[in-house]
Amino acid sequence: MPSFLTSIVVSFYLALMIPATVLASGTFSKHFAKTELTPTARKMTRLHFYFHDIVSGKNPTAIKIIAPKGSFGMTAMIDDPLTIDTKPGSTVVGRAQGLYALASQHDSALLMVMNFAFTYGKYNGSALSVMGRNPVLDAVREMPVIGGSGVFRFARGYALVNTVRYNPKTGDAVVQYNVTVVHG
C-alpha cells in the first residue's frame, strides 16, 4: 500500500511541477507554437464572369443526381464553365464545380455549394468557395463567399448574381456573377 500511495504522490508532484518548469523556460512556445506578426492590410478583389449551366444536349455541364417525383429535393452535380462573356464560345476563365439542390418547398430557391476553380491569368490555380441560398426568380441574388485557396486564401465576401438567359424548354441558363472578396 505505501508504494501505491508513494506513486500517486510522485505522479501528482510531476503533474504540477513539470508544466510549470516547461512554461517558465519557454520550451513550449519555442518548440510547438510560433507566433509571427503579420500585416493587417488585406486585399480586395472584384471579379466578373458568366456561369453557363447546360443541362441539355450531348455534353451537359450539370446532371441531375437526385430527381424526386416533385421538384423539391432535385439535386444536380455541376462542372460549369465560367467565361468572360455570355457567349458559350468565349474565353473560359474557370469552372464552377459542386452541386445545387432545390431546397425550398414553397418557392424556387436553390442551395448552392460550389467552388469556382480558376484556370486563367493571375488567378490560375486559385479557387473561391460559395455556399448559400439562391432564390432563382429574384432579379438579383446575393450569396456568401465562405473561403478560398491560392491567391484567395482566407477569402470572405459575396457574389451578386443575376440570370442573363434561361431557356425553359432545355433548362439551360447563363448567369452573371459579380464577386467581391477580401483575402490575405
Side-chain angles (χ1 to χ4, degrees):
M1 189 74 161
S3 64
F4 175 71
L5 189 55
T6 303
S7 68
I8 290 177
V9 170
V10 169
S11 296
F12 184 68
Y13 174 79
L14 291 174
L16 290 176
M17 296 310 294
I18 289 178
T21 59
V22 167
L23 290 175
S25 68
T27 304
F28 175 75
S29 63
K30 283 184 185 174
H31 296 290
F32 298 107
K34 186 174 183 180
T35 302
E36 295 178 8
L37 295 175
T38 59
T40 57
R42 307 228 343 158
K43 299 173 191 158
M44 181 184 292
T45 301
R46 289 193 169 103
L47 302 166
H48 178 259
F49 51 83
Y50 296 89
F51 170 109
H52 296 261
D53 193 50
I54 311 301
V55 297
S56 67
K58 292 182 181 180
N59 296 312
T61 61
I63 59 167
K64 288 182 183 178
I65 56 173
I66 300 173
K69 288 183 181 181
S71 57
F72 174 66
M74 182 287 298
T75 304
M77 186 64 63
I78 63 169
D79 186 13
D80 291 339
L82 303 175
T83 65
I84 61 171
D85 197 352
T86 60
K87 298 177 185 87
S90 66
T91 303
V92 174
V93 296
R95 310 288 299 183
Q97 298 170 327
L99 57 91
Y100 56 78
L102 191 54
S104 176
Q105 293 183 32
H106 308 290
D107 58 1
S108 296
L110 298 172
L111 165 65
M112 306 288 291
V113 180
M114 62 187 162
N115 290 312
F116 296 140
F118 296 102
T119 58
Y120 184 81
K122 67 181 179 180
Y123 305 120
N124 183 23
S126 298
L128 289 171
S129 298
V130 174
M131 185 178 89
R133 186 174 193 269
N134 183 356
V136 296
L137 297 179
D138 290 359
V140 177
R141 291 90 70 189
E142 181 177 334
M143 291 183 288
V145 174
I146 61 169
S149 63
V151 171
F152 299 118
R153 187 173 291 138
F154 296 117
R156 292 288 181 265
Y158 63 96
L160 294 177
V161 180
N162 65 290
T163 303
V164 174
R165 232 180 359 252
Y166 175 71
N167 184 330
K169 290 181 183 179
T170 64
D172 297 347
V174 176
V175 181
Q176 178 176 239
Y177 276 78
N178 289 293
V179 180
T180 302
V181 290
V182 176
H183 54 95

